[in-house]
Amino acid sequence: MMTTFKKTIGAIALAGVSIVAVAAGVQAAEKRPTELAPLGEPPAPPDNPTTPEKVELGKLLFFDPRLSGNSAMPCSACHLPELGWDFPDKISLGYPGTTHWRNSPTIVNTAYYGNYFWTGVSKSLEAEARTAARGGVAGNGEDDMMEARLAFIPEYRKRFNEVFGTEYPSIRDAYMAIAAFERSLVQRDTPFDKYMLGDDKALTKQQKRGMELFTGKAECSTCHNGALVTDQKYYNLGVPGYDGWETDELAQITFRFELLAKGSTEEKYRKWKDDPGLYFVTKEKADLGKFRVPSLRYTKYTAPYMHNGMLETLEDVVEFYNQGGGTNEFSKNKTKLLKPLGLSKKEKADLVAFVESFTGERLLMETPELPEYAPLPAVTN
């Protein structure tokens, strides 16, 4: 009996657990998944350091419709704060007279991405702001026109001078300010983050069961890993093509416009009925139908899901993966990582509950009061 007791005490000591703690009924901290991590401080590039004044200027510009072709399409038109900082429809809002052709991702936590848009065409938030403001079915703006408008706004001349040291606003600096503002939209206090930082009670029992599925049977962490919960790689999952292209004439026109603008042969222009995705960037057939893995953070408020919004709820997303993905025009490129999972109804509910733990309270923001135009000061000799 005494020998058995000594072996037990020795095993506890080797495990790094205090004998006093065991005697007091205190349990060791729960084991955290190594595939995932809490978010750290958001990065800021050396050529665009973050300052409070720059963020405040970027906030004004983010909500200002004058940074668009028709002075009516601000960044916030497609990234609505009260609706997840994205657009609540399958396809994002398009420039007046057009429609968009892809789902609008949230900009919450985009500070941590290494590339932007569904196919990674922009490599920084500064480039993303410029691409969105000038996109034919997005802001449709021209740099010189937008810059001229800023010059006629005294408040902007003052703020740009204070932040960038220029006499008149530069459109390049405007994109820098918008990027700085977007980097400030960070959420690091989710139940998941609190749990990963040591709070065992931050997740419910259901969410902990879901976490085990996420990193185990469901194999979600194969692609959704790290602090941002994405490997930022590109896959074809077999997501069905956008159904609006079957019935919406304007959506059909936009789709053909994008095929032509991004470089398609006449044969492909006439034949393709689905979004070629990463192919537009690489022109490699192996990349047809591939899109970047998005972060799962803040997704509780960003329905619908996938690059074309074809999955309406998080429950639909889990069921999609449970079935081993889907099929589309480019399914021969579908990733071999997907296979039927055989999840029960209870397991699927547990998984959804865990995914929701990557989201905290809504990040809300009122539209700021925008500065007014005024005549330029007279030139004096």
Side-chain angles (χ1 to χ4, degrees), residues 101 245 249-276 279-280 283 288 329-330:
W101 72 311
W245 289 328
E249 296 88 345
L250 191 57
Q252 292 168 1
I253 292 172
T254 296
F255 177 59
R256 296 302 172 190
F257 164 76
E258 294 291 346
L259 287 178
L260 185 63
K262 289 176 170 55
S264 300
T265 64
E266 182 176 355
E267 177 187 7
K268 294 170 181 175
Y269 174 87
R270 295 183 181 281
K271 178 181 178 182
W272 280 344
K273 300 295 188 295
D274 200 356
D275 190 338
Y279 170 86
F280 278 141
K283 297 301 189 290
L288 283 166
E329 184 170 345
F330 307 114

Side-chain angles (χ1 to χ4, degrees), residues 200-217:
D200 289 344
K201 297 182 180 180
L203 297 184
T204 66
K205 290 182 179 179
Q206 182 184 33
Q207 288 172 328
K208 290 176 183 178
R209 294 196 303 267
M211 181 173 63
E212 291 183 9
L213 290 165
F214 191 92
T215 57
K217 179 180 178 179

Side-chain angles (χ1 to χ4, degrees), residues 230-381:
T230 169
D231 62 6
Q232 300 196 55
K233 295 180 180 179
Y234 303 85
Y235 302 93
N236 183 332
L237 307 176
V239 176
Y242 173 52
D243 54 7
W245 289 328
E246 298 176 3
T247 58
D248 186 333
E249 296 88 345
L250 191 57
Q252 292 168 1
I253 292 172
T254 296
F255 177 59
R256 296 302 172 190
F257 164 76
E258 294 291 346
L259 287 178
L260 185 63
K262 289 176 170 55
S264 300
T265 64
E266 182 176 355
E267 177 187 7
K268 294 170 181 175
Y269 174 87
R270 295 183 181 281
K271 178 181 178 182
W272 280 344
K273 300 295 188 295
D274 200 356
D275 190 338
L278 186 62
Y279 170 86
F280 278 141
V281 180
T282 67
K283 297 301 189 290
E284 296 288 342
K285 291 182 179 179
D287 290 330
L288 283 166
K290 290 184 178 181
F291 295 89
R292 186 191 63 188
V293 176
S295 171
L296 295 184
R297 289 182 172 275
Y298 210 66
T299 49
K300 184 177 179 179
Y301 307 128
T302 62
Y305 303 97
M306 302 303 187
H307 67 276
N308 54 14
M310 286 299 290
L311 300 183
E312 187 174 348
T313 66
L314 285 175
E315 287 78 8
D316 292 336
V317 173
V318 169
E319 180 57 30
F320 175 82
Y321 284 110
N322 188 45
Q323 294 179 11
T327 58
N328 57 35
E329 184 170 345
F330 307 114
S331 286
K332 69 178 182 178
N333 286 339
K334 182 179 173 181
T335 177
K336 300 298 189 295
L337 294 172
L338 295 184
K339 60 182 184 297
L341 299 174
L343 298 175
S344 67
K345 183 177 180 180
K346 178 176 179 294
E347 287 175 325
K348 287 185 286 187
D350 291 347
L351 199 52
V352 170
F354 175 63
V355 171
E356 289 182 341
S357 78
F358 291 118
T359 304
E361 297 296 324
R362 284 186 183 272
L363 298 179
L364 299 176
M365 184 176 294
E366 293 184 5
T367 301
E369 185 176 347
L370 299 175
E372 298 291 336
Y373 284 121
L376 286 171
V379 176
T380 57
N381 295 325

Side-chain angles (χ1 to χ4, degrees), residues 1-230:
M1 178 71 73
M2 182 60 68
T3 301
T4 302
F5 176 75
K6 288 181 178 179
K7 286 183 178 179
T8 301
I9 295 299
I12 292 173
L14 286 173
V17 180
S18 166
I19 295 175
V20 175
V22 172
V26 178
Q27 296 182 346
E30 297 179 5
K31 183 179 179 182
R32 267 60 175 174
T34 58
E35 301 92 333
L36 301 168
L39 274 179
E41 289 286 344
D47 61 345
N48 190 21
T50 302
T51 67
E53 295 78 14
K54 188 184 295 181
V55 170
E56 189 61 26
L57 172 59
K59 175 182 175 180
L60 290 173
L61 295 170
F62 184 89
F63 287 93
D64 198 326
R66 289 168 289 200
L67 288 188
S68 64
N70 66 342
S71 287
M73 283 288 290
C75 304
S76 58
C78 300
H79 298 282
L80 297 148
E82 66 275 17
L83 297 172
W85 292 88
D86 67 348
F87 194 73
D89 205 348
K90 293 179 181 179
I91 297 300
S92 185
L93 180 69
Y95 187 78
T98 76
T99 184
H100 211 282
W101 72 311
R102 286 178 181 159
N103 182 264
S104 179
T106 182
I107 59 171
V108 174
N109 291 328
T110 52
Y112 301 90
Y113 277 118
N115 50 67
Y116 297 86
F117 297 105
W118 284 102
T119 57
V121 293
S122 294
K123 304 305 178 184
S124 68
L125 275 173
E126 289 78 8
E128 179 271 337
R130 180 176 186 269
T131 300
R134 291 161 49 97
V137 296
N140 198 32
E142 294 292 339
D143 281 351
D144 56 350
M145 179 59 72
M146 292 185 289
E147 190 173 271
R149 290 177 186 146
L150 295 177
F152 279 89
I153 303 171
E155 179 67 17
Y156 280 150
R157 294 202 302 273
K158 175 177 177 289
R159 287 178 179 261
F160 273 81
N161 178 264
E162 292 172 348
V163 174
F164 297 104
T166 55
E167 182 179 2
Y168 285 98
S170 159
I171 192 63
R172 176 183 178 276
D173 289 341
Y175 298 140
M176 302 275 273
I178 291 173
F181 168 67
E182 291 180 336
R183 287 192 182 95
S184 74
L185 296 172
V186 168
Q187 186 174 77
R188 300 169 55 203
D189 60 349
T190 68
F192 169 77
D193 289 292
K194 293 175 182 177
Y195 178 79
M196 292 298 287
L197 292 172
D199 183 355
D200 289 344
K201 297 182 180 180
L203 297 184
T204 66
K205 290 182 179 179
Q206 182 184 33
Q207 288 172 328
K208 290 176 183 178
R209 294 196 303 267
M211 181 173 63
E212 291 183 9
L213 290 165
F214 191 92
T215 57
K217 179 180 178 179
E219 300 183 2
C220 307
S221 60
T222 301
C223 302
H224 291 284
N225 48 51
L228 193 54
V229 204
T230 169

